[in-house]
Amino acid sequence: MMTIQLTNTDFLPSETSDFEPPVVSIADCMRLRQYPLSDELTDELDRAIVVGQEHIPNDVVTMHARCAYIDERTGMRREIELVYPDEADPGQGKISVLTPVGSALLGLRVGQEIPWAFPDGSVHRLKVASVTQKTP
């Protein structure tokens, strides 16, 4: 049984805090739970603040948002759109939420950083530089 935690926006993580729970919409959380998830993404969804879409600030990385992030280990800056696996097209910058980078960025706010283990065993620290929400 899935537990959904509803909360007031007063409890959303600040834009500069590290290791705060990610913020995820109810609809995205429910859809993501239908996929086979990595242990890391499962853990992130388990600790997420789950709210209605209308309560998610514009500076949070959500599904279909464009975001720029900096890999602080390599200094590389990259802009991506976070998408579901069937929508992924790396050549167009559409990165699946099931990839290590996608899982790491989901629910973070501009200015937040997260250490994330990659398949090669390395740990990268990713920092969200900007977020642009897709307009309906």
Side-chain angles (χ1 to χ4, degrees):
M1 174 181 222
M2 178 175 56
T3 302
I4 296 178
Q5 176 183 355
L6 298 177
T7 155
N8 185 312
T9 56
D10 292 338
F11 298 104
L12 293 177
S14 70
E15 60 190 46
T16 58
S17 61
D18 283 347
F19 306 113
E20 294 288 336
V23 180
V24 181
S25 76
I26 295 167
D28 287 341
C29 187
M30 291 176 67
R31 183 168 175 189
L32 287 169
R33 295 280 187 186
Q34 296 174 12
Y35 292 99
L37 305 175
S38 67
D39 290 342
E40 293 84 3
L41 183 53
T42 297
D43 290 345
E44 289 298 290
L45 289 176
D46 286 347
R47 71 184 195 98
I49 297 171
V50 181
V51 298
Q53 185 67 40
E54 69 277 9
H55 295 296
I56 296 182
N58 287 333
D59 67 344
V60 171
V61 179
T62 60
M63 298 306 299
H64 300 109
R66 290 209 62 83
C67 106
Y69 69 91
I70 300 165
D71 181 332
E72 295 194 328
R73 181 170 173 253
T74 65
M76 182 185 76
R77 179 184 172 103
R78 185 167 181 210
E79 185 173 321
I80 59 110
E81 179 180 347
L82 191 61
V83 298
Y84 291 103
D86 57 311
E87 303 165 330
D89 183 351
Q92 296 293 315
K94 295 181 177 188
I95 304 302
S96 169
V97 67
L98 300 185
T99 65
V101 169
S103 295
L105 295 173
L106 178 66
L108 296 184
R109 295 184 83 167
V110 170
Q112 280 188 301
E113 303 173 3
I114 189 169
W116 204 260
F118 279 67
D120 66 2
S122 63
V123 176
H124 294 243
R125 188 166 185 84
L126 306 179
K127 182 175 183 176
V128 178
S130 67
V131 174
T132 304
Q133 297 296 333
K134 189 172 189 173
T135 53

